[in-house]
Amino acid sequence: MNLVVVSNRVARGKANEPMTGGLAAALLPVVENSGAIWVGSSGRVRDGNQEPFAEVESLGNGALALLDLPAAHYGGYYEGFANSALWPAMHSRPDLIRATREDYLSYREVNAFMARALLRFRKADTAFWVQDYHFLALGTELRDLGVTSPIGFFLHTPWPARNVIGGVPHARELIEAMLAYDLIGFQTEEDCENFVGSVQLELDLPVHDGIILSRHGRTRAAVFPIGIDVERFAQQAAKAASHPEVSRLRKSLNGDRLAIGVDRLDYSKGLTNRISAFDRMWSAQPSLLRTASLLQIATPSRGAIEAYGNLQNEVAKLVSDVNGRHGEIDWTPIRYLNKGFGQAVLAGLYRTAQVGVVTPLQDGMNLVAKEYVAAQNPADPGVLVLSKFAGAANELDAALLVNPHDIDGMARTIATALTMPLTERRMRWEAMMARLRRGTIQQWFANFVEELQETQLDKNVAPPLMSEPTPLWPRRPAQAGARIH
């Protein structure tokens, strides 16, 4: 089977190039090794109505195909519908949903544009695997162009409760469009159940053992928690100890303890709550002043969207206030950096820190949590403080789990992590590493592709009996006519 992977962001994998997000970092090693073609945006736009053109380059055993997206629709697609309507909804922030009908039409136009571009990569045995919320409608666009081969979809964000996703304009149309996919993958059981509930409530369709029957045929909804390349990342971390930036950080600590947070500057990451928890910790436990600091790397993201610009100002002011309150002439409590780092440097920074702080308000998986664990020195591992609202918490239950809305609780837990004895640190780290090794990125990739292939066999099997499905929630009576939210 020839596999074409599709996402908005792509990664080239240059040694010192900052990664553009967890999705790109996760897909890079499997595309390099599998021979897949990875298609995504070049980051440029093109004027006019030209047909899609892809710039193709090698990527390990695979290839990278970069597209210039249409200028007339890019803003409405990316900053508009994808990141001002879908992203806040997926992270349970319906108060931040902003989208016009023009944004939605641009979103659909870019999905259709991408579908046309993908036809050049289609062969008799090609399967398409679409990634994330940017391309919810890409499957139905491919079907409309006559594609009958397997098409899978994986959502890297959460799928929210039905009343939240229902607040997205045209939600019903998008959910129906998603059923053109043969297989839809989610990070957690909760996400999968929420999606199935949305299908039942919005479309009044029966579901049996994760199989949905619609006008498109069968769609299977299933859970595939994403992992990382554990051994590769561990090796990178060990080698990075001698990297100049890592060495300078270690030298500057003068033996003091360090906590690290690495996030995009995004309201879903809980940065203000995290900084407030450190502020509370230093106020409640003065013994930790001058002995334990925070390195917060917050890469700017989507700065043209008002909510992100406001957040950047809020976080910068809060960091300044905390440093002004607790800092000394020769000691800064919070080192705050608004830039990205390559994977090799990040691995070394993780290994240097005694505590990893991953406290999003809502997250699909959050691979930083897994990377921090994999980067640790087995003889002297650090402690992971992890939000229970990150998908990773379902696997890394040996971390110190916190509620990111409980500032006092987080402050106490971070202090506990900073003072945890070696025996307990090793025990927790070994348990988490065992989970990571059982669910690597390679296994995630192989499991999804195998199940996607099996969907073709399912098409030759009689449909499941749907007369008495077990609904997650009572379905309301079917209503005549389609509705647009």
Side-chain angles (χ1 to χ4, degrees), residues 95-115:
D95 57 307
L96 295 177
I97 294 174
R98 305 282 188 274
T100 65
R101 178 167 178 78
E102 289 70 26
D103 289 339
Y104 177 68
L105 293 176
S106 288
Y107 179 85
R108 294 302 299 259
E109 284 288 343
V110 171
N111 275 242
F113 178 91
M114 180 62 77

Side-chain angles (χ1 to χ4, degrees), residues 36 49 81 208 227 247 262 265 304 320 365 386 407 415 427 438 447 469:
N49 297 314
F81 198 79
H208 182 79
S247 298
V262 178
L265 194 52
S320 178
M365 178 56 69
L386 178 61
I407 305 300
M427 178 188 69
R438 290 199 297 270
N447 291 344

